[in-house]
Amino acid sequence: MGDLDIKPFRIARYRKYPSNIADDKAAQLCSLWQARLGDSNWYPFKVVHCGMDEEEEHELVIDEEDKKLNGLNEDFGSEVYEIGCTSLKELNECNPSGRYVVEELWNFKENHKASLKEAITLLLKMLPN
């Protein structure tokens, strides 16, 4: 959870650089942003109250006015921005104090975290008869 997908970075770099150096530039950019997302000193979130009363539920959301994230959007496009925001949310959800990538069982067919039941079912199917 929280690991950046390099594909949007590649697309953004292919728009700017020749193909012989675009992959290297994409890897550098992706690595730079993975480090930035993991920086717990940077806090691009804000609390939004969901009810009328201050004591009611609240939600933590990405601060749309954050300069770094806005720069990511302006410099590299909405796809890179969206993947950055998604990774940031995942990092904050899994480990807000350290924001490092956490390994997670994933169901790629249905694009969600795999439940224990799904994992065991898959492992049983893989066993020889």
Side-chain angles (χ1 to χ4, degrees):
M1 297 293 291
D3 200 16
L4 283 174
D5 183 1
I6 197 169
K7 290 175 196 170
F9 290 93
R10 279 194 183 123
I11 293 167
R13 297 293 76 191
Y14 272 99
R15 289 184 196 132
K16 187 172 181 176
Y17 295 102
S19 60
N20 61 333
I21 61 170
D23 283 335
D24 289 341
K25 293 288 186 181
Q28 291 170 356
L29 182 62
C30 187
S31 185
L32 171 72
W33 272 96
Q34 190 69 60
R36 284 182 179 170
L37 295 178
D39 180 6
S40 58
N41 293 319
W42 175 46
Y43 197 75
F45 297 98
K46 63 181 178 180
V47 176
V48 175
H49 295 282
C50 301
M52 301 290 279
D53 187 2
E54 288 289 320
E55 294 179 17
E56 290 185 30
E57 291 187 33
H58 62 277
E59 184 178 359
L60 198 60
V61 296
I62 297 286
D63 183 359
E64 294 174 0
E65 296 177 13
D66 183 79
K67 290 180 183 179
K68 284 185 184 179
L69 287 176
N70 283 335
L72 182 65
N73 192 16
E74 291 168 7
D75 295 342
F76 307 108
S78 62
E79 289 179 354
V80 174
Y81 172 80
E82 290 298 324
I83 198 75
C85 287
T86 299
S87 293
L88 188 57
K89 288 176 193 174
E90 290 173 355
L91 289 169
N92 203 59
E93 177 185 312
C94 293
N95 186 3
S97 63
R99 277 201 282 191
Y100 53 84
V101 175
V102 176
E103 298 296 323
E104 188 73 56
L105 289 174
W106 195 258
N107 181 330
F108 287 99
K109 287 183 181 178
E110 297 179 20
N111 198 27
H112 66 85
K113 284 191 228 181
S115 68
L116 183 57
K117 181 180 178 181
E118 289 173 311
I120 290 171
T121 301
L122 179 64
L123 287 173
L124 290 174
K125 286 181 182 177
M126 294 172 69
L127 289 174
N129 292 335

